[in-house]
Amino acid sequence: MHVKTAPRRRDGSLILPSTPRDKSEYQPKTWEPAQGLCLCVVCGGVPPINVRLRKVTLLVLFWQELFSLSCKEGCHDDDGETRADLPGHASSALSGTNQLDNLIMSVEISVGPPVLTINQGNTFMVTELSGEIAANGEQGLFASDTRFLSYYAISANGDPWTRVTSSSPIYYGARIHLTNGDLITEDIPVAAGTISLTISRGVAEGVHEDLDLVNYGRNPIRFNLEIAMRSDFADLFEVKSHRFVRRGRIETQWDSDARELRTSYRNLDFNRTLVYRINSDTRPHYANGRITFPLELQPGASWHTCCDYVLAHGANLKEPTRTCLLKSEGDTRFDSLQREWLSQATALTSANEDLYRLYRQSVEDMGALRMHDHDAADDQWLPSAGVPWFVTIFGRDSLIVSLQNIIVNTGLARGALKKLGQLQAQEMDDYRDAEPGKILHELRFGELAHFHRVPHTPYYGTADATPLYLIVLHEAWKWIGDLSLLRDHRAVAIRCLEWIDRYGDLDGDGFQEYKTRSSQGYENLGWKDSGDAVVYPDGTQVRQPKALCELQGYVFDAWHRMAEVFDALGEQDRASDLRRKAAELQARFEQHFWCEDASFYAFTLDPGKKAVPTIASNCGHLLWSGIVRRDRAERVVKRFFEPDLWSGWGIRTLSSRNPAYNPLSYQRGSVWPHDNGIIAMGFKRYGFAAEAARIARDISEAASYFAGYRLPELYAGIERRPGTFPVQYLGANVPQAWAAGSIFHLVRSILGLQADASSHRLYVDAQLPKWLPEVTLHGLAVGNAKVDIRFWAESGETKWEASVREGDLLIAQRVWEPWPSLEEPR
């Protein structure tokens, strides 16, 4: 087999393309294998699978036994097991790489939603691949929880166009290439494929749209280009539930002089307006709900027009600041903000293409998901949770995303701490599930929230955001090193601690429970918040109140972290009291939650305080928190890799042996990337580095199948087998913040990064798996210092070297471990 040598840097790492969106870069390539590594179809320990035929290659083998192709030596995972013993891998007597040219055909597989999505801030647009918006669906142009455009169709003499191809080459822009079908005109018939129509859209505040036509025929063509559009101004909750109630009044006005279509909605003091403004040399007309351009194109002639979607929220006007996408003239404010984000974020390079592309795409998406309307300062941001359903302020999501991004940029943590602190509950409010000191779950700005038809003003129905706030405060301080951060948020933190004691523990038994008081409250208030997510081993629903296992771990972790915070603030009495409470909680937790027969911790305690021994992924969060007893950790970790939990594409949310299991459900057997990232962090904390790396490999390989290396919010827990690919959940948010951020946790779990910025120290505990022989972080910020760190494998060991760019920083080797008990030294 001919093997082409890929270009390499001086440090030996592969030089990867700088613009991964170019589809030509995804053509099958062969690469030189790293020295000493296997060039095998099955083995995941090398750039063959990860680099060779990505983005993505499905191996189509011509005989059934060839699905078992393996290397001569046999493939071994990082823990010594053969990959053939793992889901998605098999072995046979067939071996050798010389067979690959003749036996394997590469087929590109790109998994993704059958829609085009563009977003900027809290404005986003979701359309068909043809650029049109189907009626009575979930698509449209949205801003601040209102759908401004609910239907869009474009035609030639009333006939639909045919899609050639379409894509979103960048997060804020989409381009759709269409052509005509057989077209009847009053002059001559026009053959299909004669006219080209390109629709280009870019979002920045409002949306700018370009329409470009070219006549590739040899005759002049006269026809009407028609655009039909409607606005229902539906609340986002109504769009998602498909239960739209007509209220208020909609009016449409056409201004022929200004060449704009104005559609307004008013319900008492709630009003929204969409203005479709046209800039064209051709005078358009409007009738019967359609804008019509009478056109005549000579052979080879082209026609161009610009259209703006202007969104009005009362007195707030969102006019598009972006001009023609095809011309790309100048920068918008958002372009400058995004470019600055990318320049400040920690960069990653690696010989592993999957990891590199996933990391790069995630950094870009994270910057694009920032809602600049809520910036606390130039360097303090709040991300939206995901497009299309979660483009707003969330508590849990913002906090977990802040933790994920701590190695990328601490600005998200700063922004979340400030904004969520400002919105901390001050009083009891049953309708909104609010108690003093509680951190919010979700804030909405649509019509239903405006008239208090929903409690999201904000809604406080979350049991975990409050301890997570404390965890983020401590982690941000460890990476920023500024004591003023702790002083600024001390009052909020004190109220969080008071809420945990007074309201988080409903009955005084020492455990965190939840029970909604709202008539519209949620059944489940943990991260698995779908109404059917918490089940008994027989698949039946566990009712409220529920004491989820991870809530106990979060509080345990928060208490230990806040003890360190109070030590730094000189409040030793508070620190000692929190450590005592944490030790008591850990002992109590082990007594009530450990299930010896299952070698696992209970999913939750039910209303009768009985442990529910359901096998679910929540247990992995306990390892991350450090509450798990050290002598039980190995049994817990091993349980995660039994086939009922480990799908081969990641760890499932629920065991496949549970009667309630459904791999296509939201949280009863699906795979959530952020969940896997947290679990990998937990594995690393207890010394199971190879197992953490295995999760990282599964998730990064799954990402290679998704369009643009964009991980969706979740995907199906279907078992990985040869010739399969991950199946995206219907309705998943893409892009989604904590799905994108999962790679940052996965990278951190491999490299073992911990910071102590106040002491100008960075600790590493890297153990590279075979499939990741080299990785470099560029511009990692710790306090006021920035450092480049290269990690590589050599003679079975992981080595590293650091170069401090600026500031004062000591880098040293140190293992990350669980919190010590009272008897152990700190």
Side-chain angles (χ1 to χ4, degrees), residues 594 599 601 623 628-640 682-683 686 688 818:
W594 177 248
S599 295
Y601 289 91
L623 295 165
V628 171
R629 222 169 70 182
R630 292 173 189 250
D631 60 320
R632 288 172 170 167
E634 183 175 1
R635 295 167 66 184
V636 172
V637 172
K638 185 178 180 180
R639 182 65 185 83
F640 273 106
F683 287 178
Y686 280 82
F688 297 91

Side-chain angles (χ1 to χ4, degrees), residues 89-299:
H89 299 90
S91 62
S92 78
L94 293 170
S95 62
T97 59
N98 291 335
Q99 304 165 356
L100 297 182
D101 283 339
N102 297 324
L103 300 183
I104 299 174
M105 173 176 65
S106 66
V107 180
E108 183 178 6
I109 303 295
S110 182
V111 181
V115 294
L116 293 176
T117 300
I118 56 177
N119 69 285
Q120 176 66 72
N122 62 16
T123 304
F124 62 94
M125 191 173 193
V126 183
T127 72
E128 300 279 359
L129 296 178
S130 64
E132 297 182 310
I133 297 172
N136 304 316
E138 297 176 350
Q139 301 166 1
L141 171 58
F142 299 82
S144 299
D145 300 326
T146 297
R147 179 163 64 180
F148 283 78
L149 183 66
S150 55
Y151 176 76
Y152 179 99
I154 189 165
S155 60
N157 281 358
D159 293 332
W161 294 85
T162 300
R163 185 177 78 95
V164 178
T165 189
S166 58
S167 182
S168 297
I170 195 165
Y171 68 92
Y172 60 76
R175 190 162 296 154
I176 304 102
H177 293 275
L178 309 171
T179 190
N180 66 292
D182 289 327
L183 184 63
I184 303 300
T185 71
E186 60 181 320
D187 299 321
I188 58 172
V190 179
T194 301
I195 309 170
S196 165
L197 169 61
T198 301
I199 304 173
S200 304
R201 294 183 178 125
V203 57
E205 297 288 1
V207 175
H208 182 84
E209 178 177 83
D210 302 313
L211 304 176
D212 289 271
L213 287 163
V214 179
N215 176 11
Y216 290 107
R218 291 182 292 176
N219 299 304
I221 300 173
R222 286 194 303 156
F223 69 100
N224 288 329
L225 179 68
E226 299 174 343
I227 298 174
M229 51 201 312
R230 294 196 293 270
S231 302
D232 62 6
F233 297 99
D235 188 278
L236 188 73
F237 283 124
E238 295 178 312
V239 176
K240 188 175 184 181
S241 66
H242 295 262
R243 298 177 62 184
F244 177 54
V245 178
R246 294 190 178 276
R247 58 180 75 86
R249 181 178 178 182
I250 297 177
E251 293 183 351
T252 299
Q253 296 176 325
W254 169 252
D255 188 328
S256 58
D257 294 331
R259 300 185 180 184
E260 65 179 36
L261 183 68
R262 177 181 295 267
T263 305
S264 302
Y265 174 76
R266 179 176 295 277
N267 181 17
L268 300 177
D269 62 339
F270 182 88
N271 52 83
R272 298 288 186 266
T273 299
L274 170 67
V275 178
Y276 188 66
R277 184 178 297 154
I278 300 166
N279 180 10
S280 176
D281 292 335
T282 303
R283 187 174 187 85
H285 306 281
Y286 179 78
N288 295 326
R290 287 176 170 79
I291 298 170
T292 301
F293 297 91
L295 300 177
E296 182 172 350
L297 294 177
Q298 296 299 316

Side-chain angles (χ1 to χ4, degrees), residues 6 8 42 47 56 132 154 234 313 321 332 339 355 373 385 404 412 511 518 520 571 601 603 728 781 786 792 800:
R8 294 178 179 269
V42 179
V56 136
E132 297 182 310
I154 189 165
H313 309 223
T321 59
T332 69
R339 187 168 54 251
L355 190 76
D373 289 347
Q404 294 170 327
L412 290 168
F511 292 125
S518 174
Q520 295 192 40
E571 301 180 51
Y601 289 91
F603 190 176
Q728 182 168 310
K786 283 200 170 183
W792 72 98
W800 55 269

Side-chain angles (χ1 to χ4, degrees), residues 665-703:
S665 69
Y666 194 56
Q667 291 168 337
R668 289 181 289 108
S670 53
V671 175
W672 287 64
H674 93 279
D675 188 32
N676 278 257
I678 291 174
I679 294 170
M681 290 283 284
F683 287 178
K684 179 69 171 183
R685 187 167 194 175
Y686 280 82
F688 297 91
E691 289 78 4
R694 186 183 297 180
I695 295 177
R697 181 197 62 208
D698 287 351
I699 300 298
S700 60
E701 287 182 355

